[in-house]
Amino acid sequence: MEEFERNSTSFEKEKFFPIILWWKITGLIPMRPKEFCFLDYDCTLKRDSKYFLKIPRSKKKAQSYSELNVENTIRINKEIYESIEEYKDTIPVNLKGKFLFSYEIQSRFLTSKRSYKRRKDVFPPDILRSLLSSFYKEIAGWKTKDFIKIIDNNKEVRNYITPGDTRHFSMCNLMLQGINPLSIAKMAGHVRLGTQRNYWGHIEYFVESFVYILTSKYRVNRLEKELSEGIFGVMDKVDESKIFSPQDFEFVQEVEHGFCRNAIFPENCPGECRYCEHYFFHPQDFEEGIKWLQDGSDLLEQQLTVELRSLLDLYKNMKFNLNTESYSIIDQESALSKANLLNRLIKQKAMLDSLIPETKGVKL
């Protein structure tokens, strides 16, 4: 999405601005699609250099000791605030109304004027889904077959993100940041703490997906430091050992199964070559080198599983006072510590997996 925002034409950006904002906002705040679609035009606030978003939820007081107050004003970062303001500037004055988004605003980009019998001053979730589908087709270049993925036993599964998925992503992301369940529940608009347990089953898959995406980025980024754009396509930039040799670098220091390109070696050395951005995998015995990488990846995967379950156990047993809506500072510090360790392991595994040629890839 960042790449699209940087490289899109003004027409493309205006047409798909709701998609940009959906990705930015709901990826950070666990909002329901309907809440996003019905944001008020004046949904942002700025107080003392702090930025806030008003979410269309009914602000409710807890009805029992087991319930939480529902908040409708959430703090956001400056980037989201400025993106919303930028979007507002693209809306013609005569189309500005009660809501931030509307069918009438988006109808400017329709090539065929079809009869629309519903309210034009609102932006229902099904219109958001339709716009997202257009984004996949027009910007990502997807064909109909790209929306479906075939997995084991010829089972078909969807291969795309829907407007409701980002709520799950943001919930998992908040957990992996070590945010306590009470704060997450209030951000998500949950009345009961137990509701978010439904999302705990997704977090392991979320971590696996994040490792996979980060691995792909590391593969490309490592090579883009050495290659100018246009020499190789992205698919060629996945195995630098096939493109480079040690003689191609100004400085190399021989290390286990390869070379270190850190010019100030051993300063800034993490102590483990497989996790280091300066490491150039170039083994004398390829199979032995691959096994060394695979063993390290398997070990990190085991550690990730253990630490992830440990974090979830901590969440399950965390102490709260629902009357005062407070939580144990000790538990919160423990959660932050475990989350930091998890994120370090995720980055290490992604860095390591990016060294393994895709033909020998790690199955996540």
Side-chain angles (χ1 to χ4, degrees), residues 327-346:
Y327 49 84
S328 165
I329 299 299
I330 295 176
D331 286 347
Q332 175 63 84
E333 290 299 320
S334 296
L336 288 172
S337 177
K338 288 184 179 296
N340 287 335
L341 174 57
L342 265 172
N343 281 281
R344 186 163 67 251
L345 291 172
I346 286 171

Side-chain angles (χ1 to χ4, degrees), residues 256-257 274 281 283 285-299 352 356-357 360 362:
E256 191 170 10
H257 293 297
R274 290 174 287 194
F281 179 62
D285 186 321
F286 185 76
E287 291 301 324
E288 184 179 330
I290 290 294
K291 183 179 184 304
W292 176 67
L293 294 178
Q294 187 72 61
D295 289 346
S297 178
D298 292 343
L299 178 60
L352 194 159
I356 302 175
K360 296 280 186 178
V362 178

Side-chain angles (χ1 to χ4, degrees), residues 101-355:
F101 311 109
S102 72
Y103 173 83
E104 197 167 27
I105 293 172
Q106 288 305 121
S107 66
R108 294 176 296 155
F109 307 105
L110 296 178
T111 54
S112 60
K113 301 296 181 180
R114 293 176 296 177
S115 175
Y116 189 79
K117 298 180 179 180
R118 294 188 290 175
R119 287 177 57 183
K120 295 184 178 181
D121 63 326
V122 296
F123 190 68
D126 63 311
I127 300 297
L128 176 64
R129 286 194 295 272
S130 177
L131 184 62
L132 182 57
S133 178
S134 296
F135 180 87
Y136 286 127
K137 294 173 182 176
E138 297 176 28
I139 303 303
W142 281 23
K143 305 298 182 184
T144 302
K145 62 180 179 61
D146 296 318
F147 287 82
I148 299 296
K149 182 179 181 180
I150 306 298
I151 59 174
D152 296 338
N153 300 320
N154 292 323
K155 181 181 178 181
E156 292 187 355
V157 295
R158 64 178 172 86
N159 192 37
Y160 56 94
I161 296 171
T162 68
D165 289 337
T166 48
R167 177 173 169 85
H168 295 250
F169 297 162
S170 59
M171 292 282 287
C172 292
N173 189 39
L174 289 168
M175 293 176 198
L176 289 176
Q177 291 180 49
I179 307 299
N180 66 81
L182 179 62
S183 298
I184 294 175
K186 292 178 74 65
M187 289 184 70
H190 288 158
V191 175
R192 296 180 181 275
L193 270 178
T195 305
Q196 67 186 266
R197 293 194 177 193
N198 297 327
Y199 296 88
W200 290 355
H202 304 162
I203 196 167
E204 190 168 348
Y205 177 74
F206 180 84
V207 169
E208 290 178 351
S209 300
F210 186 49
V211 169
Y212 178 81
I213 293 169
L214 203 55
T215 297
S216 300
K217 287 184 177 180
Y218 281 150
R219 279 198 180 107
V220 174
N221 290 345
R222 185 187 294 111
L223 285 151
E224 285 183 338
K225 289 180 181 179
E226 311 295 338
L227 297 171
S228 60
E229 287 293 336
I231 298 177
F232 293 92
V234 171
M235 292 308 295
D236 297 317
K237 298 179 181 180
V238 294
D239 186 2
E240 64 177 355
S241 65
K242 293 180 180 177
I243 299 173
F244 299 114
S245 68
Q247 291 74 32
D248 292 317
F249 305 105
E250 292 184 9
F251 174 87
V252 288
Q253 169 75 36
E254 188 169 2
V255 291
E256 191 170 10
H257 293 297
F259 297 87
C260 175
R261 294 173 289 187
N262 182 7
I264 56 175
F265 178 86
E267 292 184 36
N268 300 327
C269 179
E272 171 56 74
C273 295
R274 290 174 287 194
Y275 311 153
C276 181
E277 63 179 338
H278 298 293
Y279 181 61
F280 174 50
F281 179 62
H282 198 273
Q284 292 184 358
D285 186 321
F286 185 76
E287 291 301 324
E288 184 179 330
I290 290 294
K291 183 179 184 304
W292 176 67
L293 294 178
Q294 187 72 61
D295 289 346
S297 178
D298 292 343
L299 178 60
L300 284 171
E301 188 165 0
Q302 292 171 16
Q303 290 177 297
L304 270 172
T305 300
V306 170
E307 294 302 330
L308 187 56
R309 289 174 181 171
S310 177
L311 178 63
L312 290 177
D313 284 341
L314 178 60
Y315 281 153
K316 291 175 185 176
N317 299 305
M318 194 173 275
K319 299 176 180 64
F320 302 100
N321 185 325
L322 298 185
N323 288 330
T324 59
E325 294 193 348
S326 58
Y327 49 84
S328 165
I329 299 299
I330 295 176
D331 286 347
Q332 175 63 84
E333 290 299 320
S334 296
L336 288 172
S337 177
K338 288 184 179 296
N340 287 335
L341 174 57
L342 265 172
N343 281 281
R344 186 163 67 251
L345 291 172
I346 286 171
K347 290 178 181 177
Q348 288 176 349
K349 180 167 169 56
M351 182 67 75
L352 194 159
D353 287 356
S354 71
L355 296 169

